[in-house]
Amino acid sequence: MKKYIKIETGSYRGNDMSGRVFPILKDYQKFSGDKEGGFVTVDCSEFDGFEGLDKARINVPDIASLTIVPEGQYVTHRDELNSNVAPTTEQKETDAEAIDRIAARFSILDEMADAVATSKVRAMIVSGPPGIGKSYGVEKALERQNMFQDIAGEKRKFEMVKGAMSAIGLYQKLFKFSNRGHILVLDDCDSILFDDVALNILKAALDSSKKRYISWNTESRVLANEGVPDRFEFQGSVIMITNIKFDYVRSKKLQDHLQAIMSRCHYLDLTMDTIRDRMLRCKQVLEDGEMLKDHMFSKEKEQELIDFMWEHKESLNEISLRMITKIADLAKMSDDWKKLARVTCMKRSSAI
């Protein structure tokens, strides 16, 4: 079976290979002698820039600079690069068409979040790369529905929980938001997907039966002290925001769990799998005019920022709305912001 690898940091004959994805021919090998680092041998036959070779040795600082990825990620990466360097006679999606497609997905996200907030939809999973505004859209929709609670000074009916979460922590949060009309948002709480107990609790909360009961069948002093029962009916709603693409997970055991979760709720994949899509999302948000309002940049300055990101898209640590803000902060503080950005916002081998 073929394996595919992403070069997090690496080079080939002085050319930066960071962010590139290849099929593996030979696994990582350390350099001989006292020389630090090593190399991995990859199949480069489907890419330009390798002097017609079928294989190449990519030099990397260490084995941690390599990440195994699914075949789908390689195919997407290959097709994107090849479309950039060798357009075919087939009609390509224009930037304007891609932006419209992306905007339509985020419009659906807003609509679905409103549906969850008004109890028309019981649960939803939102999947997409980090830093593109998934959480922002969901939070704004829920804030609109909780506007009257805010005016009256009442407690909101939703909470966004971020970061690692244990099974017992998930059980407690679900109990806290178990009433009808209450919503628990799990934002980047991906650790629960790798915990069998937490997964079973989540599946119980998302169950499609008329009544959903969740149980904790192990004695717990923590639950007793908090007054949380060992069984309760969950009538609330759940939104899970994740960077994991459920379709790309390779673990058969985890695939089965994720399929069970997907069958219980609405699954929205924002389908932003390419660097180009993420860049166009950044461009779209920037052109809306609100993101950098506090920086008081001219339109020309904002365009300079996005042009800089386009130029260095393969080398940036990430392509996200957060990255725009980071670079904008540098541009606000120094005329030499491009040099600062190369050092602080790019992979090591790219910072010159």
Side-chain angles (χ1 to χ4, degrees):
M1 180 188 297
K2 268 190 175 183
K3 291 193 299 184
Y4 301 87
I5 202 160
K6 180 181 179 183
I7 312 296
E8 302 292 352
T9 303
S11 63
Y12 172 72
R13 296 186 179 178
N15 296 313
D16 182 29
M17 292 289 117
S18 302
R20 298 289 298 270
V21 181
F22 299 95
I24 302 174
L25 294 179
K26 289 184 181 179
D27 290 332
Y28 172 80
Q29 294 175 268
K30 292 187 68 174
F31 289 128
S32 58
D34 297 330
K35 188 176 180 181
E36 293 185 355
F39 61 91
V40 61
T41 306
V42 301
D43 180 350
C44 59
S45 59
E46 296 191 89
F47 297 103
D48 288 340
F50 291 91
E51 299 82 34
L53 300 174
D54 289 331
K55 62 182 180 179
R57 293 194 341 181
I58 309 297
N59 296 336
V60 295
D62 49 45
I63 196 171
S65 303
L66 305 170
T67 303
I68 299 294
V69 298
E71 182 179 5
Q73 187 170 338
Y74 163 70
V75 171
T76 299
H77 174 77
R78 179 200 64 195
D79 292 349
E80 180 186 9
L81 284 184
N82 288 345
S83 67
N84 287 338
V85 299
T88 66
T89 55
E90 295 180 16
Q91 184 178 3
K92 297 291 182 182
E93 184 183 45
T94 66
D95 285 357
E97 290 169 341
I99 287 175
D100 287 344
R101 168 175 55 80
I102 293 166
R105 283 277 166 171
F106 276 88
S107 176
I108 292 171
L109 173 59
D110 291 343
E111 187 175 350
M112 291 297 295
D114 279 329
V116 176
T118 53
S119 300
K120 295 174 184 174
V121 169
R122 175 177 292 183
M124 174 176 67
I125 295 171
V126 184
S127 172
I132 59 168
K134 304 187 299 293
S135 306
Y136 179 81
V138 169
E139 188 169 16
K140 286 301 178 185
L142 298 182
E143 284 178 347
R144 285 196 298 270
Q145 295 300 328
N146 281 260
M147 181 175 59
F148 294 114
Q149 280 80 18
D150 292 343
I151 293 172
E154 298 175 355
K155 192 173 182 179
R156 287 180 168 184
K157 294 183 177 180
F158 78 93
E159 181 178 342
M160 298 190 70
V161 181
K162 297 176 181 282
M165 174 173 283
S166 65
I168 196 168
L170 176 62
Y171 185 84
Q172 288 175 288
K173 286 294 184 183
L174 289 169
F175 174 72
K176 183 179 178 181
F177 290 88
S178 59
N179 292 334
R180 181 174 174 80
H182 287 219
I183 303 162
L184 178 63
V185 183
L186 303 170
D187 188 2
D188 283 342
C189 297
D190 295 340
S191 58
I192 64 178
L193 298 176
F194 301 92
D195 181 326
D196 286 346
V197 176
L199 266 172
N200 287 327
I201 291 172
L202 183 61
K203 285 191 284 188
L206 302 178
D207 198 83
S208 56
S209 58
K210 191 171 183 180
K211 290 196 173 184
R212 293 168 286 166
Y213 287 99
I214 306 176
S215 301
W216 186 270
N217 296 318
T218 304
E219 184 178 352
S220 170
R221 188 172 299 174
V222 173
L223 297 183
N225 290 340
E226 295 290 331
V228 179
D230 57 11
R231 186 173 185 266
F232 64 89
E233 183 182 358
F234 182 72
Q235 297 179 312
S237 300
V238 176
I239 298 177
M240 186 170 189
I241 303 171
T242 178
N243 299 332
I244 295 176
K245 284 182 69 70
F246 283 24
D247 296 339
Y248 280 1
V249 172
R250 302 193 67 140
S251 164
K252 180 63 170 65
K253 180 181 178 182
L254 187 54
Q255 275 182 353
D256 292 341
H257 282 306
L258 297 184
Q259 286 295 327
I261 290 174
M262 288 172 65
S263 71
R264 287 165 162 80
C265 61
H266 295 274
Y267 176 70
L268 175 60
D269 183 353
L270 294 174
T271 62
M272 297 176 62
D273 303 323
T274 67
I275 292 175
R276 175 174 177 259
D277 277 355
R278 294 196 290 276
M279 282 298 309
L280 290 175
R281 169 64 176 166
C282 290
K283 180 181 179 182
Q284 175 205 1
V285 174
L286 198 58
E287 289 179 346
D288 286 343
E290 292 296 319
M291 184 174 181
L292 298 181
K293 186 176 181 180
D294 293 341
H295 290 73
M296 294 183 290
F297 287 153
S298 65
K299 287 295 181 184
E300 291 75 16
K301 190 67 173 182
E302 290 184 356
Q303 186 61 49
E304 189 179 2
L305 294 179
I306 204 70
D307 287 345
F308 179 82
M309 288 185 65
W310 272 111
E311 181 183 353
H312 300 285
K313 62 183 184 298
E314 296 285 351
S315 304
L316 291 168
N317 290 329
E318 66 172 2
I319 295 175
S320 66
L321 303 180
R322 287 189 291 265
M323 183 57 71
I324 291 181
T325 304
K326 287 179 183 178
I327 296 175
D329 289 343
L330 295 175
K332 189 73 174 176
M333 64 177 272
S334 172
D335 291 336
D336 205 11
W337 60 271
K338 292 182 180 180
K339 177 181 177 182
L340 297 175
R342 289 189 181 97
V343 174
T344 65
C345 299
M346 294 186 188
K347 301 178 180 72
R348 283 182 301 170
S349 60
S350 306
I352 300 173

